[in-house]
Amino acid sequence: MPAVTDAELDLERAHLERAREELARMRERTAGLTAHAGDRISAEALELTLARRLAQLADDPHVPLFFGRLDHDARSGGEVFHVGRRHVSDTAGDPLVVDWRAPVSAAFYRATRHDPMGVATRRRYGFARGVLTGFEDEALSGASTTGAEHSEILEQEIERPRTGPMRDIVATIQPEQDVIVRSDLDRTVVVQGAPGTGKTAVGLHRAAYLLYAHREQVTRRGMTVVGPNSSFLRYIRDVLPALGEVDATQTTVEEVVAAHGRLRGTEPADVARLKGDARMAQVLRRAVWSHVAAPADPVEALVLPRGSRRWRVPAHEVRDAVAHVVGRELRYDAGREQLRYALAHRILQQIEASGDALDDRAWDVLARTKAVKDHAATLWPVLTPARLLHRLLSDPELLAQMSDGILTPAERDALAWATPPRSAGAARWTLADLVLLDELADLLERAPSVAHVVVDEAQDLSPMMLRALGRRARTGSLTVLGDLAQATTPWAVRSWADALDHLGKPDGHVEQLTAGFRVPGDVIEYAARLLPTIAPELAPPVAVRRARGELVLTTAPTLGLVRTALAREGSVGLIVPDGGVAAARRELLAAGLAFAVVGEDDGRTPDPADDGATEFDARLDLVPASLAKGLEFDHVVLDDPAGIVAGEAEHESGLRRLYVCLTRAVTSLAVRHDDDLPVELTGRRD
């Protein structure tokens, strides 16, 4: 690789400075625009568009505007493009920086010496807090292909220590990741990714790409990012805004179903597993439609007094009307509405046959008469999700009828409330209950669909949870992220094919990422000792970094290990069993260390410096094992692995939880134990 000269570096720094000046001009111009529209609603929409555009043009001086350059060969026009996080142009409209999502930028990620894609040279830049410090060139075509295959700048960017929330990987996206990122909007993709393969970042960058490539459609219909918990969402909160995107809603499964009631209760794992079983969808469907008059049920004729006459729809015609509406396979509430109009239409036909003149509104007026509404209500009664589920779980006889041939007697006994609440309003709904209520709500009235849903840590979702999320993308697509080896819930699905079926996307495509760019070799190989037990069907991850990282197994005091980690650059995570959080906090406070607790009071905790430390913004985070999933720290101290395993109801689930915790380190991992490491790690079976 040719040496970088000061003159070349000065030219690139000048280009960076000019790009920042032009970005400031673009932002100033946007800020000076005024929304003028013909009505208030249009004006508000235009103001929102301008505000969104202003947010997209924000400039952080510590974040480089570009990270790469493409020099095309003569046959491709010889053009030069700087690739960055957002498009920047000069007053003439010529690009100073092209968006990483633009078609021309794809070659930055995918071009190789075997397929240069018209690129002569690819340049990568090194930065330190926004200051351009160097670059390296890789020749891809021409008489001489110089430059090493290995990129030190790329490696330094991947391994760069960090504090704070997750950052984007736009400068380090790998070819296999880019293929997923640029997948078409109409394609549902599952990313099975081992620890450190960047699956979460890939999913978020795909969201950013779709917002760019299909701006109008995705913005109009919406995009939702679903994470496992609020702490995880706070960890990833800055990724999309850093890429110039502010239009995606970030939420959790709990928040998705919160509209149906407050989460107030808990229940045994076996009950939650049963409520999350896909068979419950059949039970609920049967429970809803059992309220509609069946063909064999006795049905009365409809009589409608109108003026001096009484119009009558015979019982057999009423029964035919019900059967016709049922056959249309509408949602329950829509069917109830259609039944009123079906009955009214039969009366309308009789009135017209009698010679009476009717105006265009007659059908609607007849459907709204008390006689028609009351008769339809006896045949097709009004239902609410909460009242119906309350009845189902309170009445063992009703539950037996609705689940006959679907659930076993033992399963029905497990579902039925031992002491039913007096009413639906008094029920202490669990998360699994709220998901059932969401299913019921969709049976009654079709849930709206957004353009795209990103689901992270999807391996932990129950079939019924997956159905709830799939409904949100019924007319859209999904990016599903997860690792079957990290499934730790009793209700987790066991294959991605099953998950896709529950999501309503059986034709979805599964991509597997096994190249670990974040977790170092020694750490991932140690953790992979658990795979034959917890996920024997999965290919083990492979660390591609040259640095092996640091792995220490020790019985030394935890506090000393934490102090050693804090003496190094980067973030530190102290991961402990959930039951050990209180003791660990007392020890850290007594030692005078500033820290934050992940997931507790929004991450805030009193500390000696009284600096209001917040999770992921502090140097040191105290992490309950159950909340470690998806997080990364430069240095991890893992305390009491045996306790982490014992904290789960089942041994295999405990090993999965331990696998998650072992793979959170980017640089170093210290495992503190009491000579009681699980045999699956040691290989010793005494």
Side-chain angles (χ1 to χ4, degrees):
M1 180 171 57
V4 176
T5 67
D6 290 342
E8 288 179 296
L9 199 55
D10 288 343
L11 286 174
E12 293 289 12
R13 286 171 176 164
H15 187 84
L16 175 60
E17 183 61 28
R18 185 186 172 204
R20 289 204 183 281
E21 291 173 355
E22 292 297 336
L23 180 61
R25 177 192 58 77
M26 293 167 64
R27 182 176 173 81
E28 183 178 349
R29 180 177 179 276
T30 302
L33 296 176
T34 304
H36 296 292
D39 56 76
R40 180 179 58 83
I41 295 177
S42 298
E44 289 178 353
L46 186 54
E47 288 176 358
L48 182 62
T49 299
L50 291 176
R52 184 185 300 119
R53 176 60 176 162
L54 202 61
Q56 291 170 341
L57 294 173
D59 183 21
D60 184 345
H62 297 304
V63 178
L65 282 183
F66 56 79
F67 47 80
R69 195 177 92 175
L70 292 173
D71 294 6
H72 286 84
D73 57 32
R75 288 176 299 177
S76 301
E79 292 182 290
V80 175
F81 295 103
H82 286 76
V83 180
R85 286 171 173 78
R86 58 181 56 80
H87 181 87
V88 180
S89 58
D90 60 18
T91 54
D94 294 326
L96 299 178
V97 181
V98 295
D99 196 298
W100 66 276
R101 297 164 290 187
V104 71
S105 300
F108 181 77
Y109 302 106
R110 299 191 190 181
T112 66
R113 292 176 181 174
H114 298 293
D115 181 14
M117 300 175 66
V119 176
T121 304
R122 173 168 47 209
R123 175 170 291 183
R124 300 183 189 275
Y125 297 97
F127 287 87
R129 298 186 63 81
V131 177
L132 200 159
T133 57
F135 62 81
E136 60 184 21
D137 288 339
E138 179 185 5
L140 298 176
S141 62
S144 173
T145 53
T146 60
E149 290 280 358
H150 171 73
S151 168
E152 292 186 4
I153 285 180
L154 181 63
E155 185 173 89
Q156 290 169 3
E157 175 63 21
I158 291 174
E159 299 179 359
R160 177 162 54 93
R162 89 277 303 278
T163 57
M166 181 181 181
R167 62 175 183 245
D168 67 71
I169 63 164
V170 67
T172 61
I173 294 174
Q174 299 300 296
E176 64 272 24
Q177 296 173 328
D178 189 65
V179 170
I180 299 171
V181 167
R182 296 177 192 267
S183 297
D184 292 338
L185 176 59
D186 61 358
R187 191 182 197 195
T188 289
V189 179
V190 173
V191 183
Q192 159 61 42
T197 56
K199 57 184 176 295
T200 295
V202 167
L204 293 174
H205 285 67
R206 187 186 184 204
Y209 172 78
L210 294 177
L211 283 164
Y212 171 87
H214 306 275
R215 175 78 59 194
E216 181 180 354
Q217 180 179 354
V218 176
T219 301
R220 174 170 45 85
R221 295 179 53 200
M223 174 179 286
T224 302
V225 177
V226 183
N229 52 62
S230 296
S231 290
F232 179 84
L233 293 181
R234 287 190 287 272
Y235 179 64
I236 67 170
R237 65 179 183 253
D238 293 341
V239 175
L240 288 175
L243 297 172
E245 299 300 343
V246 293
D247 285 335
T249 299
Q250 299 189 12
T251 187
T252 63
V253 171
E254 178 181 329
E255 292 170 350
V256 166
V257 299
H260 307 299
R262 287 178 54 206
L263 176 58
R264 300 168 57 195
T266 58
E267 59 196 347
D270 60 334
V271 177
R273 180 194 292 115
L274 180 56
K275 289 180 178 179
D277 193 303
R279 291 176 297 161
M280 289 301 298
Q282 302 175 55
V283 175
L284 297 181
R285 173 174 287 277
R286 186 182 290 179
V288 166
W289 289 98
S290 69
H291 290 78
V292 177
D297 292 343
V299 173
E300 295 184 0
L302 166 62
V303 178
L304 173 66
R306 188 173 184 269
S308 61
R309 301 191 61 173
R310 293 164 63 88
W311 303 96
R312 183 175 184 275
V313 179
H316 73 276
E317 288 193 22
V318 171
R319 188 177 290 108
D320 288 345
V322 173
H324 173 73
V325 175
V326 170
R328 295 184 62 187
E329 298 185 349
L330 302 169
R331 288 296 191 275
Y332 183 89
D333 285 355
R336 184 167 51 83
E337 183 83 357
Q338 286 296 309
L339 179 60
R340 289 196 296 110
Y341 281 90
L343 295 174
H345 185 258
R346 282 161 171 77
I347 296 174
L348 180 67
Q349 288 177 314
Q350 294 179 31
I351 296 173
E352 289 176 337
S354 72
D356 285 2
L358 298 172
D359 60 25
D360 295 339
R361 298 174 299 165
W363 191 9
D364 188 60
V365 171
L366 290 171
R368 295 177 184 274
T369 58
K370 186 176 187 302
V372 171
K373 289 166 62 176
D374 288 350
H375 201 74
T378 63
L379 302 166
W380 203 302
V382 174
L383 298 179
T384 66
R387 289 177 182 173
L388 179 53
L389 186 60
H390 174 264
R391 282 185 54 214
L392 194 62
L393 299 182
S394 300
D395 185 344
E397 184 177 344
L398 176 63
L399 180 58
Q401 292 173 355
M402 297 303 104
S403 62
D404 184 37
I406 301 174
L407 303 179
T408 66
E411 289 173 329
R412 293 178 202 134
D413 291 342
L415 280 179
W417 280 328
T419 307
R422 293 190 306 274
S423 66
R428 299 184 64 82
W429 301 118
T430 65
L431 178 56
D433 290 330
L434 294 178
V435 175
L436 295 179
L437 290 174
D438 191 75
E439 182 82 21
L440 283 169
D442 185 68
L443 288 168
L444 301 184
E445 186 175 350
R446 187 183 181 94
S449 173
V450 300
H452 195 73
V453 176
V454 179
V455 186
D456 207 350
E457 303 299 348
Q459 75 280 345
D460 280 336
L461 301 180
S462 71
M464 294 300 288
M465 290 175 181
L466 290 167
R467 287 176 61 87
L469 297 181
R471 284 192 287 275
R472 270 67 186 181
R474 181 180 281 115
T475 60
S477 58
L478 300 101
T479 301
V480 183
L481 313 168
D483 179 10
L484 295 176
Q486 297 185 54
T488 53
T489 57
W491 46 82
V493 293
R494 295 306 179 191
S495 77
W496 290 123
D498 289 345
L500 285 168
D501 282 341
H502 299 316
L503 288 166
K505 306 292 183 181
D507 296 332
H509 181 69
V510 180
E511 294 278 358
Q512 187 165 354
L513 298 178
T514 58
F517 299 97
R518 297 292 297 165
V519 184
D522 285 353
V523 173
I524 196 63
E525 289 170 10
Y526 181 70
R529 296 180 183 182
L530 298 174
L531 287 178
T533 301
I534 63 175
E537 72 283 0
L538 293 181
V542 178
V544 298
R545 289 163 48 186
R546 293 189 301 173
R548 298 293 298 172
E550 298 177 27
L551 172 65
V552 175
L553 309 179
T554 180
T555 58
T558 302
L559 192 58
L561 299 173
V562 171
R563 290 187 185 279
T564 298
L566 287 171
R568 306 179 65 176
E569 185 180 7
S571 58
V572 179
L574 171 57
I575 303 177
V576 301
D578 286 20
V581 172
R585 172 166 31 195
R586 288 193 297 270
E587 187 174 9
L588 293 175
L589 286 171
L593 296 177
F595 65 97
V597 181
V598 171
E600 188 170 298
D601 296 327
D602 289 335
R604 301 179 71 86
T605 183
D607 63 71
D610 193 28
D611 59 1
T614 303
E615 59 183 351
F616 315 127
D617 290 327
R619 282 274 334 270
L620 171 62
D621 281 305
L622 175 57
V623 187
S626 63
L627 295 180
K629 193 170 295 180
L631 308 182
E632 285 184 351
F633 303 92
D634 292 297
H635 310 285
V636 169
V637 177
L638 191 153
D639 187 31
D640 190 12
I644 291 174
V645 175
E648 300 295 324
E650 300 173 352
H651 183 69
E652 184 174 321
S653 295
L655 292 176
R656 291 175 183 271
R657 181 76 68 192
L658 179 58
Y659 179 74
V660 171
C661 296
L662 288 170
T663 53
R664 300 305 96 198
V666 176
T667 300
S668 72
L669 169 66
V671 180
R672 196 219 66 82
H673 60 96
D674 294 317
D675 287 326
D676 55 355
L677 288 169
V679 295
E680 290 83 0
L681 282 177
T682 64
R684 298 195 309 266
R685 297 184 181 272
D686 300 330

